[in-house]
Amino acid sequence: MKQIVIQPVTRIEGHAKITIQLDEQGNVADTRVNVVELRGFERFAIGRPVEELPRIVPRICGVCPWAHHLASSKACDAVFGVDVPSVAKKLRELAYMGHFIHSHVLHFFILSGADFVIGPDADYSVRNVIGIVQKVPEIAKQVVKVRYLGQMMTQTLGGKAIHPDVSVPGGWSKPVTKEEVESLKGMAKECLDFATFAIDFAKKEIFPKYLDVVKSLATIETGFLGTVKNGELNLYDGDLRMMTPDGKYEEFPAEKYLDYIGEHVEPWSYLKFPYYKKMGQFSMDLNHPVGIYRTNALARINVCDRIPTPLAQKELEEFRGTFGRPAQPTLLYQWARLIELVYCAERAVELLNDPELTDPDTRQAVTPCAGHGVGVVEAPRGTLIHDYETDEKGLVTNCNIIVGTTHNNAAINMSVKRAATDLIKNGVYDQGLLNKVEMSIRAYDPCFSCATHELDGRIAVKIDILNAAGEMIDTLAN
Ligand code: MG
Ligand code: NI
């Protein structure tokens, strides 16, 4: 029995390793994606005044702070039972568009781009961000600029881009000025120009070249979960829509998530495995998966009926015309992400033209109380759920968080198994092939820093000990 270990998985957020077990013939017997970090935020929220959580949870992750900041604010709004002023909702959503722009550009070009721009089989010494800068310097400059602009949009609105504190229970603490709106308009317009360039570039230069890989690598069949408002794509607000692989779906309000989503636990990963309860007993068997659904860009593109901005809607129609609904190929996450990039820039421009944006009444007063609140946003990496309960002093007594990457845990494991099983035959593999296995994880743009925030007593540690020749001599597990 031989084991192939890919560690660390590179160009993702956080840390993970892949282990691939080969049988006597050198074919794949089993694979696992081990997530090897632990953070524990659900526990140390307990006992804190709930209004502190929107400032604490952004520390879960430096890549995804706005998603936690806003989901937490919404959960607090619900705990306090306040309706946030309409201008505050718009400011939250606008800042979030900046965050999405930064995040999607980061992922597509800097983390995943090298696999396509340089090539999936290229040597790893050039298959990286430096390789991209050398190969397409003009685009690389633009990428750095637009990612910066996304961050600066959030900073202009919120004072700081990373670990924000501007959104508060009941609203938004800093009204925006007319001058700020004008400077933001310039930024958003530049982001929109780049977004339309990026998707045209990808449709001309990238996807056609790798269409076989895109259609076949790590393709699995699952359901999808995402937020819609009146059937339309919405990243900040709406109901959850759960779609089964046959394209049928049902919708439910965020606070009912526990009626629909169960959390399965495996002893070999820190990460839970959420699944669609109604489908029956969880299984990620490649031939008979049960209850597996995916979140993140491809899921949102699949579950929505329409996108409420014109250029992104045109892209959706073209995408759907080519790949159907729901589109299942895992690498289509990359394409879906670019459609969302166009949407976010368009939506930012739209919001900036709204005269209500400079309304100074951005905040409702709140009073500590016993309550229960669920806040959901679509994070760049998938549906993000924050669920808080408080006692009569407003102190947190229970905190549950399910992040985008956690929803995708089973699907990521299945995709890796699919890719490894298809690619590794008779013990033959090379670096390019193992990179393709990694690409099947990268497509999900996972953030394991976010996903391993919990500490609930059911965790497992697994340590593989290898000798100098790279052979495993022992495994320690609790
Ligand atoms: Mg949790
Ligand atoms: Ni994160």
Side-chain angles (χ1 to χ4, degrees), residues 42 263 272 400-402 453-454:
E42 281 175 332
E263 288 188 283
K272 288 180 185 170
N400 187 33
I401 303 174
I402 306 181
H453 55 77
E454 56 208 348

Side-chain angles (χ1 to χ4, degrees), residues 218-466:
T219 291
I220 54 173
E221 211 169 85
T222 69
F224 293 96
L225 174 73
T227 301
V228 291
K229 195 167 185 180
N230 305 320
E232 295 180 330
L233 173 70
N234 196 304
L235 302 172
Y236 172 74
D237 202 12
D239 285 335
L240 292 177
R241 185 178 274 187
M242 180 71 87
M243 180 178 269
T244 40
D246 58 8
K248 296 195 178 100
Y249 57 79
E250 63 175 332
E251 244 172 83
F252 52 95
E255 59 270 21
K256 294 249 185 296
Y257 77 98
L258 284 175
D259 295 344
Y260 297 84
I261 297 170
E263 288 188 283
H264 174 82
V265 177
E266 289 282 347
W268 46 267
S269 179
Y270 283 133
L271 217 55
K272 288 180 185 170
F273 295 78
Y275 65 102
Y276 184 21
K277 267 188 196 171
K278 288 192 178 168
M279 304 312 286
Q281 181 72 38
F282 169 90
S283 169
M284 50 182 170
D285 183 324
L286 279 186
N287 299 314
H288 304 285
V290 180
I292 311 300
Y293 62 86
R294 295 187 264 184
T295 63
N296 191 323
L298 182 62
R300 294 187 286 253
I301 290 302
N302 278 329
V303 301
C304 74
D305 301 325
R306 293 171 304 280
I307 298 182
T309 60
L311 296 176
Q313 169 62 19
K314 234 173 103 221
E315 295 296 338
L316 175 67
E317 286 163 19
E318 185 185 332
F319 180 87
R320 212 160 257 182
T322 311
F323 302 107
R325 180 190 187 195
Q328 294 283 1
T330 300
L331 263 61
L332 287 179
Y333 267 97
Q334 309 286 9
W335 193 318
R337 219 160 264 134
L338 292 177
I339 298 175
E340 284 193 339
L341 181 63
V342 174
Y343 164 70
C344 290
E346 281 187 294
R347 180 69 180 137
V349 170
E350 196 173 88
L351 285 162
L352 282 161
N353 285 322
D354 187 330
E356 195 193 7
L357 213 60
T358 48
D359 181 341
D361 297 321
T362 58
R363 191 172 180 177
Q364 279 272 350
V366 297
T367 316
C369 62
H372 179 202
V374 177
V376 173
V377 295
E378 286 296 320
R381 290 161 191 82
T383 309
L384 173 63
I385 303 170
H386 279 233
D387 180 351
Y388 307 153
E389 279 172 65
T390 56
D391 63 17
E392 66 288 349
K393 289 185 192 143
L395 304 180
V396 176
T397 54
N398 192 29
C399 170
N400 187 33
I401 303 174
I402 306 181
V403 309
T405 297
T406 311
H407 294 286
N408 281 338
N409 192 15
I412 288 172
N413 272 276
M414 286 171 64
S415 293
V416 164
K417 187 177 268 184
R418 178 81 276 152
T421 307
D422 291 348
L423 294 169
I424 300 173
K425 299 285 182 201
N426 305 316
V428 179
Y429 61 92
D430 60 19
Q431 198 200 91
L433 194 148
L434 292 182
N435 182 50
K436 283 192 185 146
V437 176
E438 284 190 71
M439 280 169 70
S440 66
I441 291 193
R442 274 183 214 122
Y444 292 93
D445 187 14
C447 182
F448 292 115
S449 316
C450 273
T452 57
H453 55 77
E454 56 208 348
L455 175 58
D456 65 0
R458 287 179 291 176
I459 55 164
V461 182
K462 179 170 176 290
I463 302 169
D464 295 336
I465 300 174
L466 308 180

